[in-house]
Amino acid sequence: MLVSALLAVFGAAAFAILAADRVRGSAANIAAAYFAAWRRSDFGAMARLVDRPPGDFVSRHFALSEKLHVESLELTLGQLKSTGENAAEVPFGGVRTLREFGAWPFESTLRLGVRDRAWKVIWAPETLHPLLKDGGTLELNEIAAAPVELVTREGSKIPNDSYAEAYLAALRPEFESANHGWELVAQQPGRPPKRLKSIAAEAEHERTTLSRAVQAAAARALDDTPDAAIIALRPSTGEILALADRLTDNYSAIEDVFPPGSTFKTITAAALLGAGMSPSDELGCPGSYSIPEHQPYVNDGEVDRGLVSFADAFAYSCNTTFVEQATTKLTLSELREVAEAWGFARPIATGVGGTCGSMEDAGDLNELALDAIGQGTVQASPLCMAAIAAAVQNGTWRSPRLLSAAQVRRLDSPPHAPVAIHPEIVAALREMMAAVVDHGTAGAAGLPEGVAGKTGTAEVEGDESHAWFIGYRGDLAFCVFVRNGGGGGAVAAPLAARFLNGL
């Protein structure tokens, strides 16, 4: 009985010793549970499997995923291996898919050990990623986007020294991109940052309507002529093909207005043609003409051309003819109505603003006479006069634009609808503008074949006259303006020839 009792006590003691040494769980089960929780982003369950997890264990996992823009995580486990009596480890591979960079693989190790008679994960920051070891950090940083580049209609670089820079600079802020590049950076204490991945911000390109060839030709034509501008349009669309502006004193070729001189005779001629006149009508072109009981008007140099056709009166820019015909066949309201059909008294939505021209109420026949020859109260921008030339070429007045129609509506305002001009008036004006270049005031300017146009010399009180020339060739219309430059035929028309011959 005593032996039996001793054996019973020994057996109970031995069981107690074995029970005390027994380890709960297994390394394999703990590792499997940890990775299963990680795959489903259950960071709380992961923390319960870790020996003495740091207080920010859960938030650290969330923060890494958020700041690196992690969209998914894949984990692939290696073989569990013992590294000691109560230690084990599992090598594993991972692939984080980052929103900006796509798949980003890494390799790490999950270490396990027995703590308080239970298997636990022995966690360290490098378990998340090896680059987090010893206080390392991972950062995703924005790289500033490249400034928007405005390009030509063909998608190429705007020519250097284009004289369009002020307009382009005004447009760039309207196209600032919210797009940025990104860089993934590892930082170890005491070491310079290391860029792991980067993706550059794509350069933003916005196409203008400018033609590289036309813009370059316009700019080079003005290289030796300050305080001048050349604007070229495509009559069939209203697109601005060239906007070379060297005007000084903060003047703008699209926003500011000037007396247009005899280029405005294009509008007066359109009104007279609408009143029943014909290019073949024979009219007097005396050197001087006085409206009865009013002041006299003279031609340039008081040249008396005698009896000429209406087309030749236009070609030679006979002030006396236009004063007589306008004051006897038109009223101010009729002239104004025609001018407004051709763009006057309305803003122009180019994408960078714009205006056409204006006429004030004429108090008497003298003011009507001055308006009829582009003096008096008439004011027009070079952009406006280019659009008038384009309307003669195409038969339709179109609102000029520097950007796509959609961008013009977004940045500026809805453009005015196209205005069709009576075909007979258009045909007559084409004939008359061709005569200007063939044998009229622009006949000696060296203009290439196929050009039709109208010169203008606008008197400026106390200063030199403004020089103008408007015209077209094919599907290209233009205005050349030289502020206080002198005569239209002597100064502006030869600049037009230089521009067109440079295409």
Side-chain angles (χ1 to χ4, degrees), residues 4 20 68 84 117 126 165 195 303 331-332 339 355 364 366 381 477:
S4 297
L68 298 188
R117 301 196 312 277
E126 56 264 34
E165 287 84 2
R195 179 182 284 183
V303 175
T331 65
L332 174 66
T355 191
D364 57 23
N366 277 332
S381 68

Side-chain angles (χ1 to χ4, degrees), residues 396-455:
T396 299
W397 183 94
R398 288 184 170 84
S399 185
R401 57 183 173 86
L402 185 60
L403 299 167
S404 68
Q407 291 290 12
V408 168
R409 285 191 294 271
R410 180 179 76 87
L411 299 176
D412 207 329
S413 62
H416 194 282
V419 178
I421 310 299
H422 195 287
E424 291 183 6
I425 293 176
V426 169
L429 288 174
R430 290 172 183 163
E431 176 186 340
M432 296 162 75
M433 291 178 75
V436 171
V437 177
D438 179 67
H439 56 270
T441 53
L447 291 157
E449 186 177 352
V451 176
K454 181 70 187 81
T455 59

Side-chain angles (χ1 to χ4, degrees), residues 180-246:
H180 296 275
W182 297 92
E183 62 176 3
L184 182 61
V185 177
Q187 176 74 65
Q188 293 289 331
R191 297 181 183 179
K194 181 181 180 181
R195 179 182 284 183
L196 306 175
K197 286 179 171 289
S198 67
I199 179 170
E202 292 186 7
E204 288 289 327
H205 291 85
E206 181 67 29
R207 293 192 186 222
T208 67
T209 61
L210 297 176
S211 159
R212 180 174 177 79
V214 180
Q215 181 68 41
R220 300 295 69 82
L222 293 183
D223 278 341
D224 299 325
T225 309
D227 215 0
I230 296 178
I231 297 178
L233 308 178
R234 174 166 285 172
S236 59
T237 63
E239 295 167 297
I240 299 175
L241 301 179
L243 179 51
D245 186 347
R246 297 196 68 194

Side-chain angles (χ1 to χ4, degrees), residues 134-184:
D134 299 330
T137 60
L138 290 167
E139 302 289 341
L140 182 66
N141 301 322
E142 289 185 359
I143 302 173
V148 66
E149 183 180 3
L150 295 166
V151 296
T152 66
R153 62 186 299 106
E154 304 91 353
S156 59
K157 181 177 168 49
I158 305 280
N160 293 329
D161 301 320
S162 67
Y163 305 131
E165 287 84 2
Y167 300 102
L168 301 177
L171 275 176
R172 285 190 186 96
E174 302 291 349
F175 294 99
E176 288 299 331
S177 172
N179 186 32
H180 296 275
W182 297 92
E183 62 176 3
L184 182 61

Side-chain angles (χ1 to χ4, degrees), residues 1 10 12 70 97 101 131 136 156 171 176 218 268 283 375 411 471 493:
M1 291 294 294
F10 178 79
V70 177
T97 300
F101 296 105
L131 290 173
S156 59
L171 275 176
E176 288 299 331
T268 306
L283 308 166
Q375 298 286 167
L411 299 176

Side-chain angles (χ1 to χ4, degrees), residues 46-194:
M46 293 166 64
R48 291 190 290 273
L49 298 172
V50 174
D51 177 53
R52 294 187 296 277
D56 63 350
F57 178 89
V58 172
S59 62
R60 188 178 297 198
H61 283 70
F62 274 120
L64 185 69
S65 293
E66 289 178 3
K67 73 180 180 179
L68 298 188
H69 299 171
V70 177
E71 294 184 327
S72 64
L73 172 65
E74 297 178 9
L75 297 168
T76 304
L77 311 188
Q79 291 294 321
L80 175 73
K81 61 180 180 180
S82 174
T83 57
E85 185 176 352
N86 292 310
E89 64 181 28
V90 180
F92 68 95
V95 178
R96 288 184 174 91
T97 300
L98 310 185
R99 186 172 66 206
E100 282 72 30
F101 296 105
W104 184 44
F106 68 99
E107 292 184 356
S108 192
T109 301
L110 184 72
R111 291 179 172 81
L112 304 104
V114 175
R115 301 289 187 273
D116 299 327
R117 301 196 312 277
W119 280 99
K120 290 282 188 176
V121 171
I122 311 302
W123 189 86
E126 56 264 34
T127 308
L128 263 174
H129 194 283
L131 290 173
L132 299 176
K133 185 177 182 180
D134 299 330
T137 60
L138 290 167
E139 302 289 341
L140 182 66
N141 301 322
E142 289 185 359
I143 302 173
V148 66
E149 183 180 3
L150 295 166
V151 296
T152 66
R153 62 186 299 106
E154 304 91 353
S156 59
K157 181 177 168 49
I158 305 280
N160 293 329
D161 301 320
S162 67
Y163 305 131
E165 287 84 2
Y167 300 102
L168 301 177
L171 275 176
R172 285 190 186 96
E174 302 291 349
F175 294 99
E176 288 299 331
S177 172
N179 186 32
H180 296 275
W182 297 92
E183 62 176 3
L184 182 61
V185 177
Q187 176 74 65
Q188 293 289 331
R191 297 181 183 179
K194 181 181 180 181

